[in-house]
Amino acid sequence: MSQMQEQLLLSKHIFFTSSDGTFYVRMRKSVTCPAYIAEKIQKGQTIMSENKRPDTQGWDTEAVRRRIISEVDAGTETGSKKKKHRKFNWKIYIAAVVLGSMLLAGLGWILANDLCALDKGNDTYTVTIEEGDGVFKIASKLKKAGLIELKGFFVLYEIFTGAKKDIDPGTYELNTSMDYRSLVNNMYDPDARRRAQEGLVLLTIPEGYTVQQIVDLLVENKISTKEELIDAVSNFDFGEEYPFIDSSLNGQINRLEGYLFPDTYEFSTEKSAVYAIDTMLTNFNNRVSGDLLAEIQNSDYSLKEIVTLASIIEKEAIGDYEERANISSVFHNRLEGDNGEVGNALQSDATIHYAMALMGLEDKDFSTDLDSPYNTYLHGGLPVGPICNPSLASIRAAVNPNDTDYYYFAYGKDGVSHFFRTFNEHLSFVNSDMYAPG
C-alpha cells in the first residue's frame, strides 16, 4: 500500500475532539479498522499526549491531522529500516554450509583412510608387542612403524571394540595395506594363548651361548631356579642315552658344554630343571644324526673334537656358512699342516675369553699367556673341550671345511673376514686402515 493510500485510510478512522480548548485524537467506533492502522492511531494519540500545552484553541484541525500522520509515517519508516538492517544473508549461510561440509568430508576421508587402509601403500614392517603393553603403547608402536597415522583414533578403536584383549605379546610382520581389524587379527597368537594356559614359555637359545649363559636365560624366564639348573648340568646322571657326556667333568658347570643345542623351545614352568636340560640334549641327538653323524664318524676326529672345533668356529664367525667353512679351513690347515710360522696352534682369542669366564676374570685381564688348558696360544691343537654350544651350520663347517691354503684371517671394517696365506699378508692387513680389531 502506498503512503498516500495509508493517509486516506487513516483519516477515515480518526477524528479530533476538544475539551477546554484542547484537541484529542479519537478512533471512530463505527468503522472496522485494520490492526496496523489501529497501531498508527495509537502512536498518534501518544504524540498528542506529549503536547500538553493547554493553549490549543488556535490550532488548525487539518494541520494537526497532517502532523500526526507525518509523525506516524516517520516512526513506521524507522521500523522499516531496522527490519531491512536485519535481513537474512543467504550467501553467507550457503558458504558456511559448503565450507563446513568440505571440512567434515575431509576429516571423514582421513579417518576412513586410516581405519580402512584405503590408500596406504603396501609396505611390511616388524612390530614387537611386549607383555604388559597397553592400548597407548601399542598404538604408539604401530604409528612409529608407519602402519597407522592417527594414534588417538586407533586407541578409541581398541577401547570401543575391545580389541586389546585380542592382541598377544610377540613379534609380528604387519603391512600398511591392513585395516585396523586386520592389524588386530594379525597380532593374535593362538599358540601363545595355548602356552599360557598350559604353563609353557617359548624361548630361543641363541647360537654360541655357553652353558652359563643358557642357565641365566632359563632363570630369567622363570623356567627353574639357578640352583636347580646348575645342579642339573653339573651333576645329574642322564644315563647312557647321551654317551658324549664326559663324566670326568662331573661337578663342573661346563660338563655339557657344546651339547645344549641352540634352538627355539617350549619350556614348562611346571616341570623340573632336569626336564629342560634333557630337552636340549635330546634335540642335539636328533640334529646330529643320520648322514651328518656318519660323516663325523668317518672323519679323523671324534664327535667331541668336531663339536669343540665347531664351537670355536661359532665364536669366530660373523657371516654366512661360506665364511664358516673358510674359518674351518684355517683351523684344519693348522691342525693338519706343517706351517713353520704357527705350527698347530689355533691362536683363537675366543678360547682365552672362555677360559677367563670360567676363572671369573674380566676382559681387562686378557692375555695370550693365560694359564689355562683352553688357551690355544700356549697349547697346540684343540682345547680340552667346546667353548660354547654351536649351531648346526658350524658343526657342518667343522666336518666339511673349504679346500684352501689359508692360515690366517682377520676382520675388516667392511664387515667381513679376510683370509691370508702368509703371516706377512696377515700383518700387512692388520696394520692397514681396513682392519677392525675384535
Side-chain angles (χ1 to χ4, degrees):
M1 181 181 294
S2 69
Q3 186 174 348
M4 181 177 293
Q5 289 174 325
E6 280 191 4
Q7 290 176 353
L8 290 174
L9 184 59
L10 186 62
S11 64
K12 292 180 181 180
H13 291 280
I14 63 174
F15 66 94
F16 296 88
T17 61
S18 175
S19 175
D20 300 327
T22 301
F23 283 103
Y24 296 93
V25 181
R26 304 293 186 194
M27 184 183 298
R28 300 182 188 277
K29 295 182 180 180
S30 60
V31 182
T32 301
C33 178
Y36 77 99
I37 293 297
E39 181 181 356
K40 289 188 176 187
I41 293 173
Q42 181 63 38
K43 289 181 180 180
Q45 291 176 337
T46 302
I47 292 169
M48 288 299 297
S49 67
E50 292 176 354
N51 290 274
K52 294 182 180 179
R53 292 271 311 172
D55 188 14
T56 57
Q57 294 181 358
W59 284 15
D60 184 341
T61 302
E62 186 60 32
V64 170
R65 183 194 301 273
R66 285 195 301 270
R67 180 185 172 187
I68 292 172
I69 292 173
S70 64
E71 292 285 353
V72 171
D73 287 341
T76 302
E77 186 176 345
T78 300
S80 176
K81 288 181 179 179
K82 290 181 180 179
K83 289 181 181 179
K84 287 182 180 178
H85 184 70
R86 295 192 300 268
K87 184 177 181 181
F88 188 77
N89 194 323
W90 283 99
K91 291 182 179 179
I92 294 177
Y93 174 75
I94 292 172
V97 170
V98 171
L99 179 61
S101 299
M102 291 173 65
L103 290 174
L104 289 175
L107 178 60
W109 167 254
I110 293 172
L111 294 176
N113 183 45
D114 208 45
L115 175 67
C116 303
L118 301 176
D119 184 24
K120 294 172 65 177
N122 189 32
D123 300 314
T124 299
Y125 300 98
T126 300
V127 175
T128 297
I129 305 300
E130 305 287 351
E131 188 73 41
D133 281 354
V135 291
F136 291 98
K137 187 69 172 180
I138 293 171
S140 295
K141 289 183 175 181
L142 294 178
K143 179 174 175 57
K144 185 176 181 180
L147 293 159
I148 64 172
E149 295 295 332
L150 307 174
K151 182 172 70 174
F153 191 42
F154 186 83
V155 168
L156 291 176
Y157 176 85
E158 285 185 288
I159 294 172
F160 284 106
T161 63
K164 173 61 178 69
K165 68 179 185 300
D166 296 327
I167 298 176
D168 297 310
T171 299
Y172 304 97
E173 296 290 327
L174 303 174
N175 195 282
T176 53
S177 64
M178 296 176 178
D179 59 19
Y180 282 7
R181 184 175 180 180
S182 294
L183 288 172
V184 171
N185 288 343
N186 280 275
M187 289 186 285
Y188 175 83
D189 188 350
D191 289 334
R193 302 201 171 201
R194 173 187 57 80
R195 287 191 293 269
Q197 292 176 350
E198 298 176 5
L200 301 175
V201 176
L202 186 68
L203 186 61
T204 297
I205 306 299
E207 298 170 347
Y209 258 35
T210 65
V211 170
Q212 181 63 68
Q213 289 175 309
I214 292 173
V215 167
D216 292 340
L217 187 61
L218 294 175
V219 171
E220 180 184 338
N221 286 273
K222 299 179 174 57
I223 306 303
S224 187
T225 66
K226 189 168 187 175
E227 294 74 19
E228 290 174 337
L229 287 164
I230 291 178
D231 184 60
V233 298
S234 304
N235 303 306
F236 186 80
D237 183 4
F238 289 95
E240 298 180 357
E241 187 175 357
Y242 311 116
F244 47 78
I245 295 178
D246 188 351
S247 60
S248 68
L249 296 176
N250 284 352
Q252 300 182 37
I253 194 172
N254 61 331
R255 180 178 67 136
L256 304 182
E257 198 75 80
Y259 307 108
L260 301 184
F261 195 81
D263 206 343
T264 299
Y265 298 92
E266 286 187 347
F267 292 111
S268 174
T269 57
E270 300 174 358
K271 295 185 178 180
S272 67
V274 169
Y275 183 86
I277 300 303
D278 184 72
T279 300
M280 289 180 276
L281 291 173
T282 299
N283 197 16
F284 178 87
N285 255 357
N286 293 336
R287 295 300 191 94
V288 184
S289 61
D291 292 341
L292 177 58
L293 183 58
E295 285 185 274
I296 295 172
Q297 291 171 341
N298 293 328
S299 72
D300 295 329
Y301 300 90
S302 67
L303 175 62
K304 180 180 178 180
E305 290 173 329
I306 288 296
V307 173
T308 299
L309 179 56
S311 70
I312 302 174
I313 294 170
E314 187 69 50
K315 283 297 189 179
E316 294 285 2
I318 59 174
D320 56 12
Y321 178 81
E322 187 66 18
E323 182 209 31
R324 294 169 195 263
N326 280 333
I327 293 175
S328 179
S329 76
V330 170
F331 293 143
H332 273 276
N333 288 341
R334 290 193 176 199
L335 290 170
E336 301 160 10
D338 184 17
N339 186 301
E341 293 179 331
V342 295
N344 66 345
L346 299 186
Q347 296 182 325
S348 168
D349 289 359
T351 61
I352 297 179
H353 282 294
Y354 181 75
M356 291 170 58
L358 288 179
M359 299 166 68
L361 300 177
E362 298 179 1
D363 287 344
K364 63 182 179 61
D365 300 319
F366 181 88
S367 171
T368 56
D369 295 324
L370 183 70
D371 184 13
S372 169
Y374 286 96
N375 187 343
T376 53
Y377 280 86
L378 288 182
H379 306 286
L382 291 167
V384 294
I387 63 171
C388 72
N389 295 276
S391 63
L392 196 63
S394 290
I395 295 174
R396 293 187 183 280
V399 181
N400 300 292
N402 283 343
D403 184 11
T404 74
D405 54 1
Y406 297 141
Y407 280 86
Y408 304 89
F409 67 94
Y411 307 123
K413 292 180 179 178
D414 53 0
V416 299
S417 295
H418 295 258
F419 297 88
F420 312 97
R421 295 173 177 82
T422 68
F423 177 72
N424 286 335
E425 291 177 352
H426 170 72
L427 188 61
S428 177
F429 178 81
V430 169
N431 291 328
S432 72
D433 292 337
M434 294 180 62
Y435 176 59

